Amino acid sequence: MNRELKIAVIPGDGIGKEVTEQALRALKVALEGSEVNVKETMFDLGAARYHRTGEILPDDELESIKQHDAILLGAIGDPSVTPGILERGLLLNLRFTLDHYVNLRPSKYYPGVPTPLKNPGDIDFVVVREGTEGLYCGEGSVENEGTADEVAKEVSVNTAKGVERIVRYAFEKAQSRQRKKLTWVHKQNVLQRAGGLYRRYVEEISKEYPQVTVDYMHVDAATIFLVTEPSRFDVLLTDNLFGDILTDEAGAVTGGVGLAASANINPEGTYPSMFEPIHGSAPDIAGTGKADPTAAIASAALLLEHMGYADAARLIDAAITDDMRNRAVAAQSGAQLVRTTEQIGDAIIALIKDPAGH
Ligand code: IPM
Ligand code: MN
């Protein structure tokens, strides 16, 4: 009996469209020969739609998105739209409405791939970024706008329930990994209220996971260690804003954000989870074919894994690993591979169909 995998596809803006096309191709190829039929629905959301109709995320489309098993998203944001309108109205709206409280961002370094680090070491960690609270919640106010007395307030909201569930998820994640190490990152020496709430739950829940080693790091120190000794990390737990910043840095040290995937997960499955590269819409290179679709393709693998298609996910991951090896070989011989978005997609898809060395 054939199963159906209903995917809502939101290519979005800029390079989002280009990389999502490759991700969807790879996903389908990885499922070839299985009993799964992919049924995708394209959603025309983002800057072009906004300019055309003024709509950002109409209710009926949100409802329709909810009827899917998972969401594949490219990138949101365009210089022609005031910053925040699409990011808040579309991307964060989806993350919040669909209760994507786990923003999971794995970082892995493939030896030989060009990196700004002299000694990258063995980098293989995952950031568990809280996805629905903190400074992203949108609370705040502006007083005396436009005057010399203007006061702009952005409020970070952290709830006991919100903190408890993300802390618990991070412990589960650490427990499932070989090193079983959890580093929680905050700024509790200054942000005492939010930091204290995280600390309480980390301390309490750590009792249930005696095998997990826990340490704490201030976020400023974490930015240093991500550069000087990234191999020390296994699972990093942090809030929404710190997680946003640290995962861009993590992407950079492992060879560029073009390789970094992410999953916005609603673990209870009440709503579909959403998979997207951590990079943005990169309007400066949109349409040039320079975008690396690897992060989007790796995000499709996270989607497959989340939906229970572990074999197909492994096929994609192995193909990416092989492609990384090819990059490393080219880099070592001094000839960096120059390929278009589509050529990288082709190369990875070829490796999915015919894994190297088999
Ligand atoms: C990301 C992005 C988003 C974020 C923006 C576009 C709202 O930077 O996914 O990391 O800050 O979460
Ligand atoms: Mn970001």
Side-chain angles (χ1 to χ4, degrees):
M1 204 187 65
N2 277 7
R3 288 165 72 184
E4 197 168 74
L5 176 59
K6 292 200 293 278
I7 304 181
V9 184
I10 308 174
D13 301 317
I15 62 166
K17 295 193 186 66
E18 302 154 42
V19 298
T20 304
E21 190 184 331
Q22 303 307 319
L24 198 56
R25 278 177 71 205
L27 180 142
K28 287 180 177 170
V29 170
L31 285 171
E32 266 170 23
S34 73
E35 296 198 327
V36 186
N37 287 332
V38 176
K39 199 168 162 255
E40 83 255 25
T41 317
M42 287 291 179
F43 287 86
D44 172 22
L45 297 167
R49 170 80 177 272
Y50 178 66
H51 287 309
R52 214 172 54 241
T53 71
E55 292 162 303
I56 302 173
L57 180 58
D59 289 345
D60 56 333
E61 266 157 275
L62 177 60
E63 282 315 306
S64 154
I65 289 170
K66 284 185 190 166
Q67 302 312 313
H68 291 72
D69 299 311
I71 306 162
L72 189 64
L73 184 134
I76 302 298
D78 190 85
S80 66
V81 183
T82 307
I85 293 189
L86 297 172
E87 290 85 346
R88 277 214 168 275
L90 181 49
L91 183 57
L92 297 183
N93 194 356
L94 284 167
R95 288 185 190 162
F96 283 57
T97 309
L98 305 179
D99 204 18
H100 294 151
Y101 66 86
V102 177
N103 192 320
L104 195 68
R105 301 188 154 189
S107 268
K108 190 170 164 58
Y109 177 66
Y110 300 91
V113 168
T115 164
L117 300 189
K118 207 186 271 168
N119 300 308
D122 190 4
I123 309 177
D124 186 2
F125 61 79
V126 48
V127 176
V128 176
R129 167 188 176 190
E130 201 292 320
T132 53
E133 300 200 326
L135 272 164
Y136 275 62
C137 71
E139 279 200 27
S141 61
V142 177
E143 290 152 32
N144 308 321
E145 194 172 353
T147 74
D149 294 320
E150 179 162 338
V151 181
K153 294 183 185 164
E154 299 281 355
V155 178
S156 173
V157 175
N158 302 267
T159 66
K161 287 193 181 73
V163 172
E164 178 179 5
R165 63 186 187 173
I166 195 67
V167 169
R168 196 168 284 286
Y169 186 94
F171 270 99
E172 276 295 320
K173 186 50 87 187
Q175 175 73 34
S176 74
R177 290 168 62 93
Q178 207 211 327
R179 284 191 283 164
K180 305 196 190 315
K181 193 175 157 194
L182 177 70
T183 306
W184 73 281
V185 173
H186 209 277
K187 187 75 188 172
Q188 60 167 340
N189 53 340
V190 177
L191 310 177
Q192 291 169 283
R193 301 179 189 89
L197 188 57
Y198 268 88
R199 185 178 62 242
R200 252 173 41 222
Y201 276 107
V202 168
E203 282 170 5
E204 197 177 304
I205 295 172
S206 74
K207 294 181 194 134
E208 298 169 36
Y209 296 86
Q211 291 173 298
V212 175
T213 318
V214 183
D215 67 358
Y216 167 78
M217 206 179 267
H218 292 322
V219 65
D220 43 357
T223 64
I224 296 178
F225 280 110
L226 271 177
V227 172
T228 57
E229 201 195 336
S231 60
R232 69 181 287 140
F233 297 114
D234 182 19
V235 176
L236 273 134
L237 160 68
T238 194
D239 80 356
N240 213 339
L241 182 64
F242 295 150
D244 176 46
I245 298 165
L246 291 178
T247 52
D248 261 28
E249 190 186 9
V253 300
T254 48
V257 284
L259 306 177
S262 83
N264 301 277
I265 301 176
N266 174 250
E268 290 74 26
T270 312
Y271 302 107
S273 293
M274 181 165 81
F275 302 83
E276 55 168 326
I278 79 163
H279 63 67
S281 57
D284 52 328
I285 59 162
T288 65
K290 284 189 191 153
D292 189 337
T294 305
I297 296 173
S299 303
L302 290 174
L303 184 159
L304 290 170
E305 194 188 328
H306 179 78
M307 294 308 301
Y309 305 113
D311 291 342
R314 261 195 298 274
L315 279 179
I316 295 185
D317 286 337
I320 290 175
T321 304
D322 287 338
D323 188 65
M324 288 296 145
R325 202 171 296 132
N326 293 341
R327 287 184 200 211
V329 170
Q332 256 128 48
S333 66
Q336 208 141 309
L337 284 184
V338 181
R339 299 177 294 179
T340 65
T341 308
E342 195 175 352
Q343 285 168 336
I344 299 177
D346 288 345
I348 293 175
I349 284 165
L351 288 163
I352 295 172
K353 288 185 172 159
D354 181 18
H358 294 281

